[in-house]
């Protein structure tokens, strides 16, 4: 979806949120979703007695779409990290857009299908029993999104230890220990803003050994 299309639609469907402003809350009913035009949105979820950051969404990402697809209560909370400009669609105007703008409809359906796959893939990672497997599968999951299947060496992932902890919903300190063990075993190099994987097959094998048969 190009910038011109987003700019044209923002006048009619746009909403703006200030940093720390809540777009929607976990468990509340919802019948609308957002497409981020500018800014970052944090997705959090209550897990036990704590609140975990599940994801950070940016320009071009959608959130809350399951309210349109399934009419279910919100499964997480969305909070603006920066000033956010987003397009807000409810069921009524979404159906109009789908019928009157086939190009937009195809783009949104592609985003929906991609998001559903991403959610299923992340669930596979979260269902692993131990933190080492979860951390390793974060690397596998991001590799699958960013690289072709014939690239195995010198995989560069632009993320921090905190980002990895957010992806796998584990304490930063424990994730740091796991990553430092991978550094000691020379499976990866850790930098302040990136992680370089020497051979992604090491992590694929590790996760395959830990994943329970379906």
């Amino acid at each position: 979806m190009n910038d011109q299309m987003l700019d044209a639609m923002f006048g009619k469907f746009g909403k703006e949120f200030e940093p720390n402003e809540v777009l929607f809350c976990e468990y509340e009913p919802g019948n609308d979703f957002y497409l981020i035009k500018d800014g970052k949105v944090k997705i959090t979820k209550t897990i036990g007695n704590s609140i975990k950051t599940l994801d950070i969404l940016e320009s071009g990402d959608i959130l809350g779409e399951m309210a349109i697809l399934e009419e279910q209560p919100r499964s997480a909370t969305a909070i603006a990290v920066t000033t956010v400009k987003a397009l807000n669609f409810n069921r009524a105007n979404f159906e109009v857009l789908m019928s009157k703008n086939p190009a937009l409809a195809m783009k949104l359906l592609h985003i929906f299908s991609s998001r559903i796959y991403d959610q299923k893939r992340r669930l596979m990672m979260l269902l692993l029993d131990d933190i080492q497997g979860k951390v390793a599968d974060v690397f596998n999951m991001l590799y699958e999104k960013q690289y072709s299947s014939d690239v195995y060496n010198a995989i560069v992932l632009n993320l921090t230890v905190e980002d990895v902890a957010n992806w796998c919903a584990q304490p930063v300190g424990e994730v740091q220990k796991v990553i430092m063990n991978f550094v000691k075993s020379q499976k990866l190099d850790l930098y302040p803003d990136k992680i370089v994987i020497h051979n992604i097959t090491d992590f694929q094998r590790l996760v395959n050994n830990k994943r329970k048969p379906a």
Side-chain angles (χ1 to χ4, degrees):
M1 196 174 303
N2 59 45
D3 291 338
Q4 284 185 326
M5 183 182 292
L6 291 180
D7 288 339
M9 296 170 65
F10 190 76
K12 186 172 183 180
F13 302 108
K15 284 190 175 182
E16 189 165 331
F17 299 89
E18 296 302 315
N20 299 316
E21 189 173 353
V22 175
L23 282 71
F24 55 76
C25 290
E26 186 176 4
Y27 304 123
E28 73 181 11
N31 63 358
D32 59 350
F33 73 97
Y34 296 89
L35 170 64
I36 301 172
K37 180 179 180 294
D38 297 300
K40 294 184 178 182
V41 176
K42 175 171 63 175
I43 306 299
T44 68
K45 185 172 180 62
T46 303
I47 299 177
N49 295 322
S50 62
I51 297 175
K52 300 290 187 182
T53 298
L54 299 183
D55 207 350
I56 301 291
L57 303 181
E58 301 183 1
S59 177
D61 286 329
I62 61 171
L63 61 153
E65 75 281 0
M66 300 313 289
I68 294 287
L69 299 178
E70 293 186 345
E71 299 184 7
Q72 296 292 325
R74 303 292 192 187
S75 61
T77 296
I79 304 169
V81 177
T82 63
T83 298
V84 171
K85 292 182 178 180
L87 300 175
N88 180 224
F89 300 108
N90 57 39
R91 183 172 297 276
N93 64 33
F94 177 64
E95 290 175 354
V96 171
L97 284 169
M98 293 287 278
S99 62
K100 291 189 175 182
N101 193 328
L104 175 60
M106 290 302 297
K107 289 178 183 294
L108 288 174
L109 288 172
H110 177 74
I111 292 171
F112 283 164
S113 62
S114 176
R115 174 57 67 84
I116 291 169
Y117 171 80
D118 288 347
Q119 288 178 337
K120 289 181 178 179
R121 179 64 182 84
R122 186 152 189 258
L123 180 61
M124 289 173 62
M125 178 266 294
L126 292 173
L127 287 174
L128 289 164
D129 286 337
D130 70 275
I131 188 169
Q132 186 190 54
K134 286 183 170 70
V135 170
D137 209 29
V138 169
F139 301 149
N140 293 337
M141 182 174 63
L142 297 179
Y143 159 77
E144 292 162 11
K145 289 172 67 72
Q146 298 176 27
Y147 288 87
S148 62
S149 59
D150 59 348
V151 178
Y152 300 100
N153 300 321
I155 303 300
V156 179
L157 301 175
N158 294 312
L159 73 170
T160 65
V161 172
E162 290 78 9
D163 293 331
V164 178
N166 286 338
W167 274 111
C168 61
Q170 296 296 312
V172 174
E174 296 302 311
V175 170
Q176 175 87 28
K177 291 177 185 177
V178 171
I179 290 177
M180 292 311 299
N181 284 334
F182 287 144
V183 172
K184 290 176 184 177
S185 61
Q186 300 184 345
K187 294 187 185 313
L188 60 81
D189 294 324
L190 176 64
Y191 298 90
D193 60 348
K194 66 182 178 181
I195 293 173
V196 179
I197 308 293
H198 295 167
N199 192 329
I200 194 66
T201 55
D202 291 337
F203 296 97
Q204 292 170 335
R205 291 192 190 105
L206 187 154
V207 171
N208 287 338
N209 288 334
K210 292 178 179 293
R211 184 161 282 138
K212 294 178 180 179

